[in-house]
Amino acid sequence: MTGERLAQGLAELADERVDHRFKGLPPDAEGLTVGELAAERRNLFDGGFTTPVLALSAEAVEHNLAALETYSTRHGLAFAPHGKTCMAPQLFARQLEHGAWGITAAVPHQARVYRTYGIQRIFLANELVDAAALRWLAGELAADPDFRFVCYVDSLPGIALMDTALREAGATRPVDVVIELGAGEGARTGVRTEAECLELADAIAGVDTLRLVGVAGYEGEVPDADGERVRAWLRRLVALAVEFDKAGRFADLDRIIVSAGGSAWFDAVAEVFEEIPSLSAPVLKLLRSGAYVSHDDGHYRRLTPFNRVPEEGDLQPAFRLWAQVVSRPTPGQAFLNAGKRDAAHDLDLPRAQVVRSGRDGTERPAAGITVTGLSDQHAWLATERAGDVEVGDWVGLGLSHPCTSFDKWQLIPLVERDGTVVDFVRTFF
């Protein structure tokens, strides 16, 4: 049934009509369905696409999907990639095809999108205290006995709010929860001490609307994170799971969940999770990295664990934003028609990578060209030589931070190396 719902949902995406909502698409494609336009296999550069246009490399996406599948399998990890990165059901489907256990969410809206497309296992990496969302969740759990949902708890008031809302909703199944161990003083969410974790476990045991199934957290929030500090925190997380198990907190479970793992320290997660001893039930060692699917040319390119363990694999940047030179006011300055509305800019500015001639389509490296700033709809370029670019040229930009790249585009061309557009990725933010 899950596969059928997902397949039906993807088919409906292909039947959506191309129109003014989707920037960068060919004006003459107006009225075609997305599937019909994809079937035409137009070229990104001479097929009528307008600038700016964000492209996602088909080859890089496939490479990255396979890389994390291989890594997870090698280290005995289950994988629930964080879907908030892309919010793209087509990519969720491919992640599941590549062995993902489920998909991670951060907020109720994301979980609703996932359920619309038949995702059967959702890990919500947040405490859920919204009464309306809990009513919806109770209905989903009641309607589908195969639906598995897990979320964080990190406070006594949160447990009380969840219990009240679920009782008022007439919940027929308890909500599975994991206690979130905070990454340290000054970190983000999560319980700061093991003693507080024990208090939460007692509170959960005192209600019948919740079921404790494990422990979790996010090592990326460890203050002044380095390998030693991250591993120390991960060992605290593992020790907490062991202590809970010895105390009988996980009685009658078929799986105990121990979960961590963003995109910067999954090598440390793999190493420490290999140390988890045998418990009263098999342990689901759940990794949640999400940025890998597109990777990037900045933040994650610097932070990826594959830089530390290159023998284990690599990731490839999949995004390229194409924009056009629309002004060349001085020999040292040029402007593109893409800005903050189009490009991630919260961590790094875009990087000019390649210039495609507006005259004959030839490409050359973007040597001597630097993005120095972004306006809403312009990128400011500094150029070393007067002949570096001219009005009409296309400039391919590498981006930093996938999460704030995907969310600016509702329909993203999936492009093969030769420029052929083979599909369009629909996002829901």
Side-chain angles (χ1 to χ4, degrees), residues 143-398:
D144 185 353
D146 295 325
F147 173 39
R148 181 79 189 274
F149 177 91
V150 182
C151 72
Y152 282 176
V153 293
D154 81 343
S155 68
L156 292 173
I159 291 170
L161 287 168
M162 292 180 75
D163 177 54
T164 298
L166 290 167
R167 282 190 290 104
E168 291 178 350
T172 58
R173 288 172 58 191
V175 171
D176 287 347
V177 297
V178 290
I179 291 175
E180 182 192 6
L181 178 66
E185 290 302 321
R188 201 163 60 187
T189 56
V191 180
R192 292 324 197 225
T193 68
E194 281 75 1
E196 292 173 285
C197 290
L198 293 174
E199 290 181 6
L200 297 191
D202 288 339
I204 294 165
V207 300
D208 58 10
T209 54
L210 304 177
R211 182 175 71 151
L212 181 63
V213 298
V215 297
Y218 175 47
E219 76 291 339
E221 282 292 313
V222 170
D224 301 315
D226 60 19
E228 182 179 351
R229 290 185 178 92
V230 167
R231 286 172 177 81
W233 176 82
L234 287 164
R235 291 190 173 100
R236 283 182 62 200
L237 185 69
V238 169
L240 182 64
V242 171
E243 182 177 354
F244 278 175
D245 192 54
K246 286 180 179 178
R249 304 279 190 182
F250 299 138
D252 302 322
L253 294 182
D254 59 351
R255 288 287 188 276
I256 298 167
I257 296 175
V258 181
S259 179
S263 297
W265 292 104
F266 57 73
D267 57 332
V269 173
E271 177 185 325
V272 175
F273 279 13
E274 286 178 2
E275 302 170 2
I276 297 176
S278 295
L279 302 181
S280 61
V283 177
L284 188 75
K285 304 172 184 179
L286 194 60
L287 185 69
R288 306 192 307 272
S289 310
Y292 81 101
V293 69
S294 66
H295 199 45
D296 73 6
D297 277 297
H299 183 71
Y300 286 106
R301 191 170 202 163
R302 294 190 296 270
L303 294 184
T304 176
F306 287 130
N307 291 337
R308 296 186 290 272
V309 287
E311 69 279 5
E312 294 250 34
D314 71 325
L315 297 173
Q316 298 176 359
F319 275 130
R320 180 165 283 172
L321 175 63
W322 288 97
Q324 203 164 16
V325 179
V326 293
S327 180
R328 191 77 163 99
T330 71
Q333 193 176 38
F335 290 87
L336 304 178
N337 63 345
K340 294 178 181 178
R341 306 289 187 183
D342 314 295
H345 57 90
D346 55 318
L347 295 178
D348 301 283
L349 288 172
R351 295 173 56 194
Q353 294 178 323
V354 63
V355 177
R356 184 178 179 88
S357 170
R359 295 175 182 270
D360 58 18
T362 57
E363 292 188 5
R364 61 188 185 275
I369 302 172
T370 304
V371 178
T372 60
L374 296 178
S375 301
D376 283 352
Q377 298 290 180
H378 290 93
W380 296 58
L381 300 187
T383 58
E384 294 180 1
R385 294 168 295 274
D388 285 337
V389 293
E390 63 181 9
V391 171
D393 287 346
W394 287 37
V395 178
L397 303 173

